[in-house]
């Protein structure tokens, strides 16, 4: 019986000591090292620019899109855009399939669209160049991701 009392007292002392150490560490900033969220980050910068090379295109429009833990950013429809990206598992290429049969001129006035950042914790860099603004609209009309 004495063995169990000693063991119980030791367990109590250990638990109490750990609680005191935890309280002391909380004041030193150790608790601040814990992750702020359990969600993998999803934060993107989307751009539309004039030119055929993403590195040299003149950016005419740009927005931010944060999808985790909640949709936000400067994108005009973050909830819809995040839902579309989630359905596509972050694959921008699957969002730019040819939609309606929209006639476009064959003029060469290149427009480059980019998506850069982090999607569900993994680095994402994507770009696509279209022959002109009409082709861009025809390719992205079915999605709100590029509607900014």
């Amino acid at each position: 019986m004495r063995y169990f009392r000693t063991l119980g007292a030791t367990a109590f002392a250990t638990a109490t000591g750990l609680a005191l150490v935890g309280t002391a560490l909380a004041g030193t900033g150790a608790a601040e090292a814990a992750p702020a969220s359990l969600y993998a980050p999803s934060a993107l910068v989307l751009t539309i620019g004039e030119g055929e090379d993403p590195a040299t295109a003149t950016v005419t429009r740009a927005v931010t899109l944060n999808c985790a833990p909640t949709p936000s950013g400067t994108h005009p429809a973050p909830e819809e855009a995040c839902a579309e990206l989630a359905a596509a598992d972050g694959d921008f290429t699957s969002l730019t399939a040819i939609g309606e049969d929209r006639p476009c001129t064959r003029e060469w006035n290149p427009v480059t669209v980019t998506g850069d950042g982090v999607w569900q914790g993994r680095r994402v860099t994507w770009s696509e160049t279209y022959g002109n603004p009409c082709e861009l609209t025809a390719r992205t009309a079915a999605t709100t991701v590029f509607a900014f």
Side-chain angles (χ1 to χ4, degrees):
M1 180 101 163
R2 185 174 180 175
Y3 173 75
F4 290 114
R5 283 188 198 161
T6 305
L7 185 59
T10 304
F12 176 77
T14 303
T16 305
L18 288 176
L20 292 174
V21 169
T23 303
L25 287 177
T28 64
E32 296 167 14
S37 173
L38 297 177
Y39 298 98
S42 290
L44 302 163
V45 175
L46 307 172
T47 68
I48 298 177
E50 296 173 348
E52 55 187 288
D53 182 4
T56 60
T58 301
V59 175
T60 57
R61 291 178 285 179
V63 295
T64 59
L65 181 62
N66 302 312
C67 294
T70 59
S72 64
T74 60
H75 193 285
E79 293 86 6
E80 292 86 354
C82 288
E84 290 170 0
L85 277 168
D89 194 29
D91 180 17
F92 287 98
T93 303
S94 69
L95 298 174
T96 58
I98 293 186
E100 301 175 22
D101 290 333
R102 181 175 178 161
C104 290
T105 61
R106 301 190 103 203
E107 71 177 308
W108 183 245
N109 183 15
V111 178
T112 300
V113 181
T114 66
D116 193 40
V118 178
W119 179 256
Q120 295 182 349
R122 66 182 188 263
R123 182 82 170 100
V124 176
T125 300
W126 174 85
S127 68
E128 187 70 40
T129 300
Y130 301 98
N132 55 52
C134 180
E135 185 182 342
L136 167 66
T137 302
R139 293 283 188 138
T140 61
T143 181
T144 59
V145 173
F146 304 105
F148 57 90

